[in-house]
Amino acid sequence: GESVGLHLPTLSVQEGDNSIINCAYSNSASDYFIWYKQESGKGPQFIIDIRSNMDKRQGQRVTVLLNKTVKHLSLQIAATQPGDSAVYFCAENRRSNDYKLSFGAGTTVTVRA
Amino acid sequence: DTGVSQDPRHKITKRGQNVTFRCDPISEHNRLYWYRQTLGQGPEFLTYFQNEAQLEKSRLLSDRFSAERPKGSFSTLEIQRTEQGDSAMYLCASSGRTGGYQETQYFGPGTRLLVL
């Protein structure tokens, strides 16, 4: 079965508002998580990652939160812009998986002007 | 551009034909990965190389699929006797030497295959 899953397949957000994309994982051994952004016709673009020894990590306009207790992570995008419209994937890895990333199905984010 | 590159970007072929895709990783990255992505789904792992050695193959990689990385630089993925079910986006990624299984994988733009 799927080791990571997204809560909502689509998200519509007003330009300028904050976006929150949620992801759940099932294996407590998962200890490395990555968020990717994929625009139509392009490959996944790395946004931010987090290791299980952290609860929060911030980048430019993005924050990833990791809650190991409930096996949940989220990606927050501040002041969402039209260029943020894309499909967002969370991916996970763990030592037993070696280098094989496991991806969820993706959340499509649409930014309304 | 120093990112991962893939060629061709699009390929249309008839069922039964062979196709070959090429991937050039980020220079100095020693690990190279192939993933497949179907519409509406996340990428699925196919295989990966460390330098020229192919270390892991998914069950998704049937006998009709073969991947090579002869000199530890670029890689090719060949599909023989293509079937309509092979239609997908084939993604290549690479990663460097620093983080083990926790190192970031950077993806190329993909090759979209359509088998008629």
Side-chain angles (χ1 to χ4, degrees):
Chain A
E2 198 174 73
S3 57
V4 285
L6 285 150
H7 288 189
L8 289 174
T10 61
L11 177 67
S12 179
V13 60
Q14 187 70 37
E15 181 179 357
D17 288 352
N18 297 336
S19 304
I20 299 177
I21 307 166
N22 296 301
C23 184
Y25 61 98
S26 58
N27 195 315
S28 57
S30 298
D31 58 5
Y32 179 56
F33 305 90
I34 313 175
W35 282 99
Y36 286 95
K37 171 188 178 183
Q38 188 172 27
E39 297 173 277
S40 182
K42 297 184 179 180
Q45 175 188 355
F46 170 79
I47 302 173
I48 192 168
D49 61 2
I50 189 167
R51 291 169 176 77
S52 59
N53 60 351
M54 302 175 72
D55 298 324
K56 178 180 179 179
R57 192 166 187 216
Q58 290 184 290
Q60 188 176 8
R61 283 200 307 118
V62 295
T63 300
V64 56
L65 299 177
L66 176 61
N67 186 327
K68 295 179 285 293
T69 302
V70 294
K71 299 189 186 67
H72 177 273
L73 71 158
S74 65
L75 178 70
Q76 301 177 5
I77 305 173
T80 311
Q81 302 169 359
D84 295 328
S85 292
V87 180
Y88 290 80
F89 293 97
C90 61
E92 65 88 14
N93 205 352
R94 64 192 94 113
R95 186 174 299 279
S96 60
N97 269 4
D98 201 5
Y99 292 89
K100 303 187 294 288
L101 290 178
S102 295
F103 283 80
T107 290
T108 300
V109 173
T110 303
V111 180
R112 305 189 307 271
Chain B
D1 189 339
T2 57
V4 178
S5 61
Q6 293 187 245
D7 184 71
R9 295 291 310 278
H10 304 273
K11 180 70 178 178
I12 300 174
T13 191
K14 294 182 179 179
R15 186 164 49 96
Q17 298 294 304
N18 299 344
V19 294
T20 300
F21 310 141
R22 175 179 170 127
C23 170
D24 287 87
I26 294 170
S27 59
E28 88 265 4
H29 276 188
N30 63 334
R31 273 178 279 280
L32 185 149
Y33 314 81
W34 286 99
Y35 289 81
R36 182 173 71 184
Q37 185 178 27
T38 53
L39 206 59
Q41 300 299 315
E44 295 175 290
F45 171 83
L46 292 178
T47 188
Y48 93 91
F49 293 83
Q50 181 162 308
N51 300 314
E52 65 275 8
Q54 188 174 15
L55 296 186
E56 181 98 25
K57 290 196 289 186
S58 161
R59 286 173 293 177
L60 293 174
L61 216 63
S62 75
D63 291 344
R64 295 184 298 105
F65 288 71
S66 62
E68 292 182 344
R69 194 183 183 199
K71 297 181 180 179
S73 56
F74 73 91
S75 174
T76 58
L77 178 67
E78 181 183 17
I79 309 175
Q80 297 181 328
R81 305 180 303 282
T82 52
E83 302 173 355
Q84 289 182 324
D86 297 332
S87 295
M89 173 83 92
Y90 290 85
L91 293 162
C92 177
S94 70
S95 67
R97 304 171 183 272
T98 57
Y101 71 96
Q102 294 183 338
E103 61 195 24
T104 303
Q105 295 182 23
Y106 295 93
F107 283 82
T111 295
R112 182 166 295 284
L113 172 66
L114 177 61
V115 182
L116 301 175

PDB file of all heavy atoms in Angstrom, chain B residues 42-70:
ATOM      1  N   GLY B  42       1.889  10.111  -8.274  1.00  0.00           N
ATOM      2  CA  GLY B  42       3.253  10.503  -7.985  1.00  0.00           C
ATOM      3  C   GLY B  42       4.239   9.586  -8.694  1.00  0.00           C
ATOM      4  O   GLY B  42       3.873   8.491  -9.151  1.00  0.00           O
ATOM      5  N   PRO B  43       5.478   9.992  -8.802  1.00  0.00           N
ATOM      6  CA  PRO B  43       6.498   9.143  -9.435  1.00  0.00           C
ATOM      7  C   PRO B  43       6.678   7.819  -8.680  1.00  0.00           C
ATOM      8  O   PRO B  43       6.563   7.777  -7.452  1.00  0.00           O
ATOM      9  CB  PRO B  43       7.768   9.989  -9.346  1.00  0.00           C
ATOM     10  CG  PRO B  43       7.287  11.402  -9.236  1.00  0.00           C
ATOM     11  CD  PRO B  43       6.024  11.319  -8.446  1.00  0.00           C
ATOM     12  N   GLU B  44       6.964   6.767  -9.444  1.00  0.00           N
ATOM     13  CA  GLU B  44       7.246   5.457  -8.864  1.00  0.00           C
ATOM     14  C   GLU B  44       8.662   5.050  -9.230  1.00  0.00           C
ATOM     15  O   GLU B  44       9.052   5.142 -10.399  1.00  0.00           O
ATOM     16  CB  GLU B  44       6.267   4.404  -9.400  1.00  0.00           C
ATOM     17  CG  GLU B  44       4.822   4.635  -9.008  1.00  0.00           C
ATOM     18  CD  GLU B  44       3.924   3.617  -9.685  1.00  0.00           C
ATOM     19  OE1 GLU B  44       3.774   3.712 -10.924  1.00  0.00           O
ATOM     20  OE2 GLU B  44       3.393   2.730  -8.996  1.00  0.00           O
ATOM     21  N   PHE B  45       9.391   4.569  -8.253  1.00  0.00           N
ATOM     22  CA  PHE B  45      10.789   4.189  -8.453  1.00  0.00           C
ATOM     23  C   PHE B  45      10.904   3.015  -9.417  1.00  0.00           C
ATOM     24  O   PHE B  45      10.150   2.043  -9.341  1.00  0.00           O
ATOM     25  CB  PHE B  45      11.393   3.806  -7.097  1.00  0.00           C
ATOM     26  CG  PHE B  45      12.756   3.201  -7.180  1.00  0.00           C
ATOM     27  CD1 PHE B  45      13.880   3.999  -7.266  1.00  0.00           C
ATOM     28  CD2 PHE B  45      12.917   1.831  -7.178  1.00  0.00           C
ATOM     29  CE1 PHE B  45      15.149   3.439  -7.346  1.00  0.00           C
ATOM     30  CE2 PHE B  45      14.163   1.256  -7.258  1.00  0.00           C
ATOM     31  CZ  PHE B  45      15.289   2.064  -7.339  1.00  0.00           C
ATOM     32  N   LEU B  46      11.880   3.106 -10.336  1.00  0.00           N
ATOM     33  CA  LEU B  46      12.173   2.010 -11.247  1.00  0.00           C
ATOM     34  C   LEU B  46      13.523   1.363 -10.942  1.00  0.00           C
ATOM     35  O   LEU B  46      13.620   0.157 -10.763  1.00  0.00           O
ATOM     36  CB  LEU B  46      12.180   2.501 -12.705  1.00  0.00           C
ATOM     37  CG  LEU B  46      10.843   2.938 -13.294  1.00  0.00           C
ATOM     38  CD1 LEU B  46      11.043   3.441 -14.717  1.00  0.00           C
ATOM     39  CD2 LEU B  46       9.835   1.798 -13.268  1.00  0.00           C
ATOM     40  N   THR B  47      14.584   2.182 -10.899  1.00  0.00           N
ATOM     41  CA  THR B  47      15.918   1.653 -10.701  1.00  0.00           C
ATOM     42  C   THR B  47      16.865   2.772 -10.326  1.00  0.00           C
ATOM     43  O   THR B  47      16.543   3.946 -10.519  1.00  0.00           O
ATOM     44  CB  THR B  47      16.412   0.930 -11.969  1.00  0.00           C
ATOM     45  OG1 THR B  47      17.645   0.260 -11.689  1.00  0.00           O
ATOM     46  CG2 THR B  47      16.637   1.914 -13.116  1.00  0.00           C
ATOM     47  N   TYR B  48      18.035   2.407  -9.766  1.00  0.00           N
ATOM     48  CA  TYR B  48      19.032   3.436  -9.534  1.00  0.00           C
ATOM     49  C   TYR B  48      20.442   2.881  -9.671  1.00  0.00           C
ATOM     50  O   TYR B  48      20.675   1.677  -9.541  1.00  0.00           O
ATOM     51  CB  TYR B  48      18.810   4.157  -8.207  1.00  0.00           C
ATOM     52  CG  TYR B  48      19.548   3.634  -6.996  1.00  0.00           C
ATOM     53  CD1 TYR B  48      20.804   4.131  -6.653  1.00  0.00           C
ATOM     54  CD2 TYR B  48      18.956   2.695  -6.177  1.00  0.00           C
ATOM     55  CE1 TYR B  48      21.464   3.689  -5.531  1.00  0.00           C
ATOM     56  CE2 TYR B  48      19.598   2.241  -5.045  1.00  0.00           C
ATOM     57  CZ  TYR B  48      20.850   2.735  -4.717  1.00  0.00           C
ATOM     58  OH  TYR B  48      21.494   2.299  -3.595  1.00  0.00           O
ATOM     59  N   PHE B  49      21.351   3.806  -9.967  1.00  0.00           N
ATOM     60  CA  PHE B  49      22.763   3.508 -10.158  1.00  0.00           C
ATOM     61  C   PHE B  49      23.603   4.292  -9.149  1.00  0.00           C
ATOM     62  O   PHE B  49      23.307   5.445  -8.841  1.00  0.00           O
ATOM     63  CB  PHE B  49      23.228   3.941 -11.560  1.00  0.00           C
ATOM     64  CG  PHE B  49      22.620   3.154 -12.685  1.00  0.00           C
ATOM     65  CD1 PHE B  49      21.365   3.474 -13.170  1.00  0.00           C
ATOM     66  CD2 PHE B  49      23.314   2.094 -13.255  1.00  0.00           C
ATOM     67  CE1 PHE B  49      20.797   2.759 -14.204  1.00  0.00           C
ATOM     68  CE2 PHE B  49      22.764   1.368 -14.293  1.00  0.00           C
ATOM     69  CZ  PHE B  49      21.505   1.701 -14.766  1.00  0.00           C
ATOM     70  N   GLN B  50      24.634   3.646  -8.693  1.00  0.00           N
ATOM     71  CA  GLN B  50      25.686   4.352  -7.980  1.00  0.00           C
ATOM     72  C   GLN B  50      26.928   4.207  -8.848  1.00  0.00           C
ATOM     73  O   GLN B  50      27.426   3.100  -9.045  1.00  0.00           O
ATOM     74  CB  GLN B  50      25.923   3.766  -6.602  1.00  0.00           C
ATOM     75  CG  GLN B  50      27.007   4.511  -5.834  1.00  0.00           C
ATOM     76  CD  GLN B  50      26.953   4.240  -4.344  1.00  0.00           C
ATOM     77  OE1 GLN B  50      25.910   4.389  -3.716  1.00  0.00           O
ATOM     78  NE2 GLN B  50      28.076   3.813  -3.786  1.00  0.00           N
ATOM     79  N   ASN B  51      27.366   5.330  -9.370  1.00  0.00           N
ATOM     80  CA  ASN B  51      28.390   5.319 -10.432  1.00  0.00           C
ATOM     81  C   ASN B  51      27.862   4.447 -11.568  1.00  0.00           C
ATOM     82  O   ASN B  51      26.765   4.655 -12.029  1.00  0.00           O
ATOM     83  CB  ASN B  51      29.725   4.867  -9.877  1.00  0.00           C
ATOM     84  CG  ASN B  51      30.215   5.787  -8.767  1.00  0.00           C
ATOM     85  OD1 ASN B  51      30.170   7.007  -8.911  1.00  0.00           O
ATOM     86  ND2 ASN B  51      30.649   5.214  -7.661  1.00  0.00           N
ATOM     87  N   GLU B  52      28.609   3.433 -12.018  1.00  0.00           N
ATOM     88  CA  GLU B  52      28.124   2.631 -13.143  1.00  0.00           C
ATOM     89  C   GLU B  52      27.360   1.388 -12.701  1.00  0.00           C
ATOM     90  O   GLU B  52      26.805   0.671 -13.529  1.00  0.00           O
ATOM     91  CB  GLU B  52      29.291   2.238 -14.057  1.00  0.00           C
ATOM     92  CG  GLU B  52      30.311   1.324 -13.406  1.00  0.00           C
ATOM     93  CD  GLU B  52      31.354   2.083 -12.616  1.00  0.00           C
ATOM     94  OE1 GLU B  52      31.196   3.316 -12.446  1.00  0.00           O
ATOM     95  OE2 GLU B  52      32.330   1.457 -12.182  1.00  0.00           O
ATOM     96  N   ALA B  53      27.303   1.141 -11.406  1.00  0.00           N
ATOM     97  CA  ALA B  53      26.656  -0.066 -10.902  1.00  0.00           C
ATOM     98  C   ALA B  53      25.158   0.156 -10.682  1.00  0.00           C
ATOM     99  O   ALA B  53      24.749   1.086  -9.992  1.00  0.00           O
ATOM    100  CB  ALA B  53      27.318  -0.474  -9.589  1.00  0.00           C
ATOM    101  N   GLN B  54      24.360  -0.760 -11.248  1.00  0.00           N
ATOM    102  CA  GLN B  54      22.909  -0.726 -11.036  1.00  0.00           C
ATOM    103  C   GLN B  54      22.621  -1.489  -9.755  1.00  0.00           C
ATOM    104  O   GLN B  54      22.805  -2.709  -9.698  1.00  0.00           O
ATOM    105  CB  GLN B  54      22.188  -1.347 -12.225  1.00  0.00           C
ATOM    106  CG  GLN B  54      20.681  -1.182 -12.177  1.00  0.00           C
ATOM    107  CD  GLN B  54      19.999  -1.675 -13.449  1.00  0.00           C
ATOM    108  OE1 GLN B  54      20.595  -2.391 -14.255  1.00  0.00           O
ATOM    109  NE2 GLN B  54      18.755  -1.281 -13.666  1.00  0.00           N
ATOM    110  N   LEU B  55      22.161  -0.801  -8.726  1.00  0.00           N
ATOM    111  CA  LEU B  55      22.068  -1.391  -7.399  1.00  0.00           C
ATOM    112  C   LEU B  55      20.684  -1.889  -7.026  1.00  0.00           C
ATOM    113  O   LEU B  55      20.554  -2.701  -6.118  1.00  0.00           O
ATOM    114  CB  LEU B  55      22.558  -0.392  -6.350  1.00  0.00           C
ATOM    115  CG  LEU B  55      24.033   0.012  -6.453  1.00  0.00           C
ATOM    116  CD1 LEU B  55      24.429   0.891  -5.281  1.00  0.00           C
ATOM    117  CD2 LEU B  55      24.925  -1.219  -6.527  1.00  0.00           C
ATOM    118  N   GLU B  56      19.673  -1.388  -7.660  1.00  0.00           N
ATOM    119  CA  GLU B  56      18.319  -1.771  -7.261  1.00  0.00           C
ATOM    120  C   GLU B  56      17.404  -1.660  -8.464  1.00  0.00           C
ATOM    121  O   GLU B  56      17.501  -0.727  -9.266  1.00  0.00           O
ATOM    122  CB  GLU B  56      17.828  -0.818  -6.162  1.00  0.00           C
ATOM    123  CG  GLU B  56      16.444  -1.125  -5.645  1.00  0.00           C
ATOM    124  CD  GLU B  56      16.436  -1.921  -4.357  1.00  0.00           C
ATOM    125  OE1 GLU B  56      17.430  -1.848  -3.630  1.00  0.00           O
ATOM    126  OE2 GLU B  56      15.419  -2.589  -4.091  1.00  0.00           O
ATOM    127  N   LYS B  57      16.514  -2.645  -8.588  1.00  0.00           N
ATOM    128  CA  LYS B  57      15.497  -2.598  -9.653  1.00  0.00           C
ATOM    129  C   LYS B  57      14.140  -2.907  -9.055  1.00  0.00           C
ATOM    130  O   LYS B  57      13.976  -3.877  -8.313  1.00  0.00           O
ATOM    131  CB  LYS B  57      15.822  -3.620 -10.743  1.00  0.00           C
ATOM    132  CG  LYS B  57      17.033  -3.261 -11.576  1.00  0.00           C
ATOM    133  CD  LYS B  57      17.094  -4.065 -12.869  1.00  0.00           C
ATOM    134  CE  LYS B  57      17.440  -5.510 -12.635  1.00  0.00           C
ATOM    135  NZ  LYS B  57      17.642  -6.228 -13.909  1.00  0.00           N
ATOM    136  N   SER B  58      13.158  -2.105  -9.415  1.00  0.00           N
ATOM    137  CA  SER B  58      11.803  -2.325  -8.936  1.00  0.00           C
ATOM    138  C   SER B  58      11.162  -3.490  -9.691  1.00  0.00           C
ATOM    139  O   SER B  58      11.550  -3.810 -10.817  1.00  0.00           O
ATOM    140  CB  SER B  58      10.989  -1.049  -9.157  1.00  0.00           C
ATOM    141  OG  SER B  58       9.611  -1.299  -9.121  1.00  0.00           O
ATOM    142  N   ARG B  59      10.125  -4.059  -9.078  1.00  0.00           N
ATOM    143  CA  ARG B  59       9.348  -5.082  -9.784  1.00  0.00           C
ATOM    144  C   ARG B  59       8.615  -4.496 -10.982  1.00  0.00           C
ATOM    145  O   ARG B  59       8.161  -5.230 -11.859  1.00  0.00           O
ATOM    146  CB  ARG B  59       8.341  -5.712  -8.818  1.00  0.00           C
ATOM    147  CG  ARG B  59       8.982  -6.660  -7.819  1.00  0.00           C
ATOM    148  CD  ARG B  59       7.984  -7.110  -6.787  1.00  0.00           C
ATOM    149  NE  ARG B  59       7.564  -6.011  -5.918  1.00  0.00           N
ATOM    150  CZ  ARG B  59       6.662  -6.126  -4.973  1.00  0.00           C
ATOM    151  NH1 ARG B  59       6.055  -7.262  -4.755  1.00  0.00           N
ATOM    152  NH2 ARG B  59       6.349  -5.091  -4.230  1.00  0.00           N
ATOM    153  N   LEU B  60       8.485  -3.159 -11.007  1.00  0.00           N
ATOM    154  CA  LEU B  60       7.850  -2.499 -12.155  1.00  0.00           C
ATOM    155  C   LEU B  60       8.694  -2.645 -13.407  1.00  0.00           C
ATOM    156  O   LEU B  60       8.196  -2.510 -14.530  1.00  0.00           O
ATOM    157  CB  LEU B  60       7.645  -1.005 -11.865  1.00  0.00           C
ATOM    158  CG  LEU B  60       6.657  -0.626 -10.783  1.00  0.00           C
ATOM    159  CD1 LEU B  60       6.701   0.877 -10.539  1.00  0.00           C
ATOM    160  CD2 LEU B  60       5.251  -1.047 -11.169  1.00  0.00           C
ATOM    161  N   LEU B  61       9.981  -2.885 -13.230  1.00  0.00           N
ATOM    162  CA  LEU B  61      10.905  -2.964 -14.352  1.00  0.00           C
ATOM    163  C   LEU B  61      10.892  -4.377 -14.917  1.00  0.00           C
ATOM    164  O   LEU B  61      11.634  -5.253 -14.479  1.00  0.00           O
ATOM    165  CB  LEU B  61      12.309  -2.578 -13.869  1.00  0.00           C
ATOM    166  CG  LEU B  61      13.191  -1.789 -14.826  1.00  0.00           C
ATOM    167  CD1 LEU B  61      12.573  -0.450 -15.140  1.00  0.00           C
ATOM    168  CD2 LEU B  61      14.572  -1.610 -14.234  1.00  0.00           C
ATOM    169  N   SER B  62      10.013  -4.569 -15.927  1.00  0.00           N
ATOM    170  CA  SER B  62       9.906  -5.911 -16.505  1.00  0.00           C
ATOM    171  C   SER B  62      11.137  -6.213 -17.354  1.00  0.00           C
ATOM    172  O   SER B  62      12.019  -5.370 -17.548  1.00  0.00           O
ATOM    173  CB  SER B  62       8.641  -6.000 -17.366  1.00  0.00           C
ATOM    174  OG  SER B  62       8.831  -5.302 -18.587  1.00  0.00           O
ATOM    175  N   ASP B  63      11.171  -7.434 -17.915  1.00  0.00           N
ATOM    176  CA  ASP B  63      12.306  -7.850 -18.735  1.00  0.00           C
ATOM    177  C   ASP B  63      12.446  -7.016 -19.994  1.00  0.00           C
ATOM    178  O   ASP B  63      13.500  -7.013 -20.629  1.00  0.00           O
ATOM    179  CB  ASP B  63      12.145  -9.324 -19.123  1.00  0.00           C
ATOM    180  CG  ASP B  63      12.293 -10.234 -17.931  1.00  0.00           C
ATOM    181  OD1 ASP B  63      12.812  -9.756 -16.900  1.00  0.00           O
ATOM    182  OD2 ASP B  63      11.891 -11.410 -18.013  1.00  0.00           O
ATOM    183  N   ARG B  64      11.395  -6.291 -20.358  1.00  0.00           N
ATOM    184  CA  ARG B  64      11.466  -5.464 -21.573  1.00  0.00           C
ATOM    185  C   ARG B  64      12.215  -4.152 -21.314  1.00  0.00           C
ATOM    186  O   ARG B  64      12.543  -3.441 -22.252  1.00  0.00           O
ATOM    187  CB  ARG B  64      10.051  -5.147 -22.065  1.00  0.00           C
ATOM    188  CG  ARG B  64       9.264  -6.371 -22.520  1.00  0.00           C
ATOM    189  CD  ARG B  64       7.913  -5.987 -23.089  1.00  0.00           C
ATOM    190  NE  ARG B  64       7.070  -5.322 -22.092  1.00  0.00           N
ATOM    191  CZ  ARG B  64       6.825  -4.009 -22.061  1.00  0.00           C
ATOM    192  NH1 ARG B  64       7.374  -3.204 -22.975  1.00  0.00           N
ATOM    193  NH2 ARG B  64       6.037  -3.502 -21.134  1.00  0.00           N
ATOM    194  N   PHE B  65      12.457  -3.875 -20.062  1.00  0.00           N
ATOM    195  CA  PHE B  65      13.145  -2.627 -19.691  1.00  0.00           C
ATOM    196  C   PHE B  65      14.604  -2.934 -19.350  1.00  0.00           C
ATOM    197  O   PHE B  65      14.891  -3.902 -18.653  1.00  0.00           O
ATOM    198  CB  PHE B  65      12.494  -1.997 -18.453  1.00  0.00           C
ATOM    199  CG  PHE B  65      11.140  -1.390 -18.700  1.00  0.00           C
ATOM    200  CD1 PHE B  65      10.032  -2.177 -18.943  1.00  0.00           C
ATOM    201  CD2 PHE B  65      10.973  -0.011 -18.665  1.00  0.00           C
ATOM    202  CE1 PHE B  65       8.783  -1.611 -19.160  1.00  0.00           C
ATOM    203  CE2 PHE B  65       9.727   0.571 -18.871  1.00  0.00           C
ATOM    204  CZ  PHE B  65       8.639  -0.231 -19.116  1.00  0.00           C
ATOM    205  N   SER B  66      15.497  -2.085 -19.843  1.00  0.00           N
ATOM    206  CA  SER B  66      16.892  -2.202 -19.444  1.00  0.00           C
ATOM    207  C   SER B  66      17.483  -0.809 -19.309  1.00  0.00           C
ATOM    208  O   SER B  66      17.185   0.095 -20.093  1.00  0.00           O
ATOM    209  CB  SER B  66      17.689  -3.028 -20.454  1.00  0.00           C
ATOM    210  OG  SER B  66      17.693  -2.392 -21.715  1.00  0.00           O
ATOM    211  N   ALA B  67      18.289  -0.639 -18.287  1.00  0.00           N
ATOM    212  CA  ALA B  67      18.934   0.646 -18.039  1.00  0.00           C
ATOM    213  C   ALA B  67      20.431   0.423 -17.915  1.00  0.00           C
ATOM    214  O   ALA B  67      20.874  -0.599 -17.408  1.00  0.00           O
ATOM    215  CB  ALA B  67      18.384   1.296 -16.769  1.00  0.00           C
ATOM    216  N   GLU B  68      21.171   1.418 -18.392  1.00  0.00           N
ATOM    217  CA  GLU B  68      22.626   1.335 -18.334  1.00  0.00           C
ATOM    218  C   GLU B  68      23.205   2.685 -17.928  1.00  0.00           C
ATOM    219  O   GLU B  68      22.610   3.737 -18.169  1.00  0.00           O
ATOM    220  CB  GLU B  68      23.196   0.952 -19.703  1.00  0.00           C
ATOM    221  CG  GLU B  68      22.875  -0.439 -20.167  1.00  0.00           C
ATOM    222  CD  GLU B  68      23.530  -0.748 -21.507  1.00  0.00           C
ATOM    223  OE1 GLU B  68      23.970   0.193 -22.187  1.00  0.00           O
ATOM    224  OE2 GLU B  68      23.601  -1.938 -21.855  1.00  0.00           O
ATOM    225  N   ARG B  69      24.374   2.617 -17.359  1.00  0.00           N
ATOM    226  CA  ARG B  69      25.135   3.838 -17.062  1.00  0.00           C
ATOM    227  C   ARG B  69      26.607   3.469 -17.214  1.00  0.00           C
ATOM    228  O   ARG B  69      27.344   3.326 -16.244  1.00  0.00           O
ATOM    229  CB  ARG B  69      24.837   4.340 -15.650  1.00  0.00           C
ATOM    230  CG  ARG B  69      25.323   5.765 -15.407  1.00  0.00           C
ATOM    231  CD  ARG B  69      25.082   6.205 -13.980  1.00  0.00           C
ATOM    232  NE  ARG B  69      25.485   7.595 -13.811  1.00  0.00           N
ATOM    233  CZ  ARG B  69      25.728   8.139 -12.620  1.00  0.00           C
ATOM    234  NH1 ARG B  69      25.596   7.434 -11.505  1.00  0.00           N
ATOM    235  NH2 ARG B  69      26.083   9.413 -12.541  1.00  0.00           N
ATOM    236  N   PRO B  70      27.024   3.272 -18.448  1.00  0.00           N
ATOM    237  CA  PRO B  70      28.304   2.619 -18.736  1.00  0.00           C
ATOM    238  C   PRO B  70      29.544   3.298 -18.162  1.00  0.00           C
ATOM    239  O   PRO B  70      30.484   2.625 -17.771  1.00  0.00           O
ATOM    240  CB  PRO B  70      28.340   2.587 -20.261  1.00  0.00           C
ATOM    241  CG  PRO B  70      27.372   3.627 -20.711  1.00  0.00           C
ATOM    242  CD  PRO B  70      26.315   3.683 -19.666  1.00  0.00           C
TER     243      PRO B  70
END
